[in-house]
Every structure is written in C-alpha cells, then in structure tokens.
Amino acid sequence: MTTTSPEPHARRRELFRLILGHIFLHATMAGMRMAAPLMALRAGYSELAVGVLLSLYALMQVFLSLPAGRYADRHGLKRPFAISVGAACLGGALAFAWPVFPVLCVAALLTGGATGGAVIALQRHVGRAAHTPEEIKRAFSWLAIGPAFSNFVGPFAAGLVIDHAGFRAAFLMLALMPLATWYFVRQAHELAPVVQPHGAHRGKAWDLWRDPSFRRLILVNWFLSSAWDVHTFVVPVLGHERGLSASVIGTILGLFAFSAAAIRVFLPMLAARVHEWVLIVTAMAATTVIYAVYPFMHVALTMGLCSVLLGFALGMVQPMVMSMLHQITPEHRHGEAVGMRMLVINASSVAMPMLFGTAGAVVGISAVFWTVAATVGGGIRVAWRLKDIKAGRSSG
C-alpha cells in the first residue's frame, strides 16, 4: 500500500530499521567476497582466477543497475528488496551445497546482484524521504553506516566460522543472513509515487551525462570506489602471501570496515559544518598517501593500521556523493541517477580486480598499490571542481 511520508520521528525509526535490514543483506556479500576467494587460493587457483571471481560480485550489477533504477522508480522499496533477499539466500545456499569454483562464481553473481538491486531501491527511498539538503546529508550519513558495519560483520564472522567449522558452515551462515533483512524491511512505508512534471521528458538514462556536474561527481566516485575495491582484493592476496590465517585477514578487512563505519557515526555532525566537496577532496588526498606507504607494511599490526586509516578516508565519500547526486538530479529520475552511479562503479569493480590481479601476478602487489595512489592523486583536481555544484540544482 502506498502512503505519504511519515512524520520526522517515524522517519528516523524507519531509517533505523532499514539500516538494520541492509546490514544483514550486505554482510552476506561481504562475507562471501572474503570467504570465496580465500577458498579458491587454498585450492590452488591463481591470483588472476581470484580476480575474476571477485569481479563477478559486480558484474551482475553492471547489467542490472539501470533496469533496477527504473524498476525502483516504478515500484518503490519493498518489491525490489523481496527479490534481492531471495537471490542472496540462493547464492549462499548454492555455495554451501556445492563449494567448488564454478558454483562460487554463480554465487558471486547472485549475491552481488542482490545487494546492488536492494541498495538502489534503498538509496532512492531515503533520498526522497528527506526534505532538505541538510536532511539528505544526515540521512545518507546514517544510511552509509550499514554497509560499513556489514563489511566488518561479514568478513569477521565468516573468518571465525571458517577457522572453527570450515567453509561450508560459513556459506550456510551467510545464506541465512538475508532472512533478517526482510523482517526489518517488510513493514516499511512506501512513499507516494513521483508525478513527472508537466512537459518534462524522461529521455534515456544516458542523457544524465550531459550535465558536467554529474560527470565530475561520477568520475570522482569512480576514483574512490576503485580504491575501495582494490583494497578488498589485495588484502586477501597479501595476507595469503605472508601466511596470515583466515581470521587475521578477515580482521584486517573488518578493521577497514569498522573505521569506515566509525567515521560515518560522526559524519552527520561534520557534514552540517563542512561542504561535501571539502570532505571528498580530503578523502582523496589521504587515500593517495595511504596507498603509497601500504606496501612497506609487512606485519598484520601495521597492515591493520593502514586499513583503519583508509577506512576513515573512504568512509566519508559515499554519503557526500549521494547527497550531491540527489541535489543535482530531478526527483522523478533519482532511481535512474542512482542506477547510473551503480553501473559505473560496478563496471569498474568488474575490471579492476582482473586488471590488478594480472598486474599483481606480473609486477607484484606493490605496483598495484602505487598505481592506485597515482590514479587517486591525479583525480584530486576533478574533486576540487565539485565546489561549483550548488544545492538544489537539477539536470534534465
């Protein structure tokens, strides 16, 4: 049933429930993304094969992002979430039943696609429920805590279960997690459908690229999401090379996620005082430095420290990008804009693990770190130009 937007206190309670639901769904993918590559490495598969496996978590989202955005524009929140929960449970169940490399690839497609479809519907819903630019920044800052926390819970829990009960038990646990998502999301209020302004022409999603502000924002988001994806890839490889256990590798990845979640707890207060573009430029500068020094860290403690600092830097980015995205696109195209953003960053997530997996095998992991540092550093100038984006702008 479609209803109008609830009162502010009710919206806050609902946002809290949606964050909890998102945590369980995203934790499934995060745990699978750590456990499946580690299982492949232990089975003797190469770094390139692991890169291909990791890229599959984003491949389905590349093809689904725009259709999912349009679907969310038509159907709202709960129907996309119901489909996503079913796909994520199926992916985990397949990995539990047949834990072999080809099936792990299918599970990656299912869990990755489920998470992508759900997050598009969720981000669209939260952006529409907020009524002012300041409320949008606060809402997305709180919403971003969910995946940051699940990026800790998923790998950490999967690592512990792997060390004590094996990979199949971990896959079973991850298959059951999305059921909690539906418990929290099923009672959410659907917002009233958006009425397209008279005379407005929806056009094609690719028309959004005509706006230079949209282009700059998506490019900056690509720089930083690539840095996030590469960290997810290189830590299991680096940890495996240095003989670290699954629980230690999961903890290092978990520390990254925990610090990303921690900075987002303070982000609503920080975002009320600092412009979005300032936080994005700061994150890019810090990411450049951390990636430059990361290869010199040879023990778990110093790797964990770099992981924490990188989490602080990258954790600031997505809420600010989503806030700006909703300010520069018209309301009746929010789903498409979110879907376009997801398409770009997930196309990168498909290509980057394979590219850097090949580079790691040929020239070594250190070169991967330094390439990312140079790429992100080179994008700081583009991020600086985001200061020209004004709140309330819209593009056709």
Side-chain angles (χ1 to χ4, degrees), residues 182-228:
W182 186 242
Y183 172 80
F184 288 110
V185 174
R186 64 189 176 89
Q187 295 181 348
H189 291 83
E190 290 284 9
L191 300 175
V194 177
V195 179
Q196 185 169 321
H198 179 70
H201 177 62
R202 173 177 284 274
K204 297 180 180 179
W206 295 99
D207 294 340
L208 294 167
W209 288 97
R210 294 177 180 176
D211 183 355
S213 296
F214 182 87
R215 292 197 301 268
R216 286 195 291 267
L217 186 61
I218 297 300
L219 180 59
V220 166
N221 198 186
W222 173 76
F223 286 136
L224 291 165
S225 66
S226 295
W228 189 303

Side-chain angles (χ1 to χ4, degrees), residues 79-112:
R79 192 180 297 183
F81 254 93
I83 296 171
S84 295
V85 166
C89 289
L90 178 60
L94 288 174
F96 163 72
W98 298 285
V100 295
F101 189 81
V103 176
L104 294 180
C105 292
V106 175
L109 290 170
L110 286 169
T111 54

